[in-house]
Amino acid sequence: MINKGTYLYKIEKAILRWFGHRKFIRFGIRDRIIRYFHNPDIKDDTEFVVPFFGATYRGKFNTFIDWSVFYYGGYGEGELMVIKDFLGGVNDPVFLDVGANVGHHTLFAAGFCKEVIAVEPFEPVYLKLKEKINDNALTNVRVLNSALGEHSGLSVYFPPATSNTGTGTFVKRGTQAESIMLPMTSGDELLELGELPFLDLIKIDTEGYEYAVLKGMKKVLNSQRPIVLFEWDRGYIAKDINFERSNVFPAAYLFFQLYNHSTILKIFQNSKYYLKEAKEEFDNGMILAIPQEKLNTPPLEKLRNRIKN
């Protein structure tokens, strides 16, 4: 890697950033080439500021999500487009971001939501989230410095060990040793305390803890029937969990697997996301849960157009 702070360093980053934004090239190809020259796990604490969907994004290369924003324009673009395509058609939408991390999805959604509630329990990451809110003088974002789970109280948390600040989790994996205690509450308790408004969309990305988050908001799901976008990765989930949709979601929810793009000739890609109904077991990735009675309503028109048989 070229020494940071030099003119050649800046030129290298600009070229890689330009290449990273060529979305017609398959993501895996762009990612391998950029990582060869500037791997996110190399300790590079250089700060940068770039535009981000109408907002300002300040980050550092030693944080994976920030690194992704610089080189690709964002992280999980399919998720972002699902959020915008739905909430963009709702009057005064409210978005709950569970596992907000450094504020990537929160900052994106704040541009068109009446209110965003961001949930992030880990203090170092929480401070990065607050920084982005302050940088953009956002008044429609409320941050909860606590976790959401099935119960309230202190819970064992395993902090992220790499540049990917989103890998902190309440689920012990492998030989993880270092842990701390963090506060936790449930979505249903927040509802009972009057701290949750009517939610249009909930996003949950908690590194294998999604099942517990969902179980802790059964009353929310029953009474408000929001759309839920949640991560599913069997390799991250506690081994003793046998996920049953009926144990978490009320009746008449439909489930769709989210695919960020389709590939063309193994080199190019169509960067538009698409959805496929998940009738049996979920594949690893993001799952979109939609109440059946909402599927044919006007706000979901763009999502309906992305469903493939």
Side-chain angles (χ1 to χ4, degrees):
M1 187 180 74
I2 298 173
N3 291 332
K4 62 183 180 180
T6 67
Y7 181 71
L8 287 177
Y9 172 87
K10 295 178 181 178
I11 293 296
E12 179 190 61
K13 298 296 167 289
I15 293 172
L16 292 174
R17 176 174 160 81
W18 177 88
F19 177 68
H21 282 65
R22 303 307 98 187
K23 295 182 180 180
F24 61 89
I25 301 174
R26 186 176 176 181
F27 176 78
I29 295 174
R30 288 178 286 144
D31 192 58
R32 283 194 294 273
I33 291 173
I34 291 173
R35 283 174 181 269
Y36 177 81
F37 290 98
H38 193 196
N39 194 298
D41 291 327
I42 295 175
K43 302 300 182 183
D44 182 355
D45 62 354
T46 306
E47 186 174 273
F48 62 84
V49 178
V50 293
F52 181 75
F53 299 99
T56 296
Y57 193 105
R58 179 155 55 108
K60 291 185 177 182
F61 289 114
N62 61 3
T63 301
F64 174 70
I65 296 294
D66 296 351
W67 179 91
S68 298
V69 169
F70 182 86
Y71 284 119
Y72 306 119
Y75 177 80
E77 188 174 5
E79 300 168 33
L80 299 184
M81 293 304 101
V82 164
I83 292 169
K84 184 176 182 181
D85 281 351
F86 170 54
L87 294 181
V90 177
N91 292 327
D92 297 328
V94 178
F95 174 56
L96 177 63
D97 187 2
V98 184
N101 201 335
V102 297
H104 178 275
H105 284 48
T106 289
L107 183 58
F108 174 80
F112 48 86
C113 282
K114 176 185 177 182
E115 184 179 8
V116 177
I117 304 166
V119 179
E120 176 52 55
F122 186 44
E123 188 73 10
V125 179
Y126 164 81
L127 293 175
K128 292 177 181 289
L129 164 61
K130 291 286 289 184
E131 182 181 81
K132 289 176 175 56
I133 294 171
N134 293 334
D135 282 347
N136 290 276
L138 298 176
T139 59
N140 62 334
V141 176
R142 176 158 52 100
V143 182
L144 178 63
N145 189 202
S146 173
L148 286 190
E150 189 174 357
H151 307 290
S152 295
L154 291 175
S155 294
V156 178
Y157 176 82
F158 301 92
T162 68
S163 65
N164 189 345
T165 53
T167 57
T169 179
F170 289 93
V171 179
K172 182 173 176 58
R173 299 199 295 258
T175 59
Q176 287 172 299
E178 181 185 354
S179 65
I180 58 176
M181 302 298 291
L182 291 182
M184 179 178 291
T185 187
S186 70
D188 286 344
E189 182 171 347
L190 292 178
L191 182 67
E192 291 172 0
L193 292 173
E195 295 185 23
L196 276 188
F198 187 90
L199 303 171
D200 296 289
L201 176 63
I202 301 171
K203 174 229 119 187
I204 309 172
D205 187 348
T206 51
E207 296 298 296
Y209 206 64
E210 291 80 9
Y211 188 61
V213 175
L214 288 165
K215 289 190 73 174
M217 55 174 58
K218 284 188 176 182
K219 293 179 182 177
V220 174
L221 297 177
N222 272 287
S223 63
Q224 300 187 358
R225 295 185 66 80
I227 290 177
V228 183
L229 179 65
F230 65 98
E231 185 181 41
W232 178 257
D233 191 327
R234 184 71 249 185
Y236 287 168
I237 295 167
K239 302 301 181 185
D240 59 344
I241 288 179
N242 182 22
F243 183 87
E244 292 288 344
R245 302 178 191 188
S246 60
N247 288 343
V248 176
F249 286 92
Y253 261 83
L254 302 174
F255 299 86
F256 298 87
Q257 197 91 36
L258 169 62
Y259 296 90
N260 284 308
H261 52 73
S262 55
T263 58
I264 304 170
L265 300 176
K266 298 184 178 181
I267 298 175
F268 306 106
Q269 70 176 32
N270 181 343
S271 60
K272 295 180 179 180
Y273 75 89
Y274 63 96
L275 302 165
K276 281 191 173 182
E277 188 170 359
K279 295 182 179 180
E280 303 297 333
E281 289 293 319
F282 298 143
D283 292 332
N284 289 346
M286 297 302 290
I287 307 297
L288 189 65
I290 302 176
Q292 188 169 6
E293 73 274 10
K294 293 185 178 181
L295 186 60
N296 292 314
T297 59
L300 270 80
E301 180 180 1
K302 290 183 178 179
L303 296 186
R304 288 198 305 274
N305 291 339
R306 294 292 180 194
I307 297 174
K308 290 187 176 182
N309 296 326

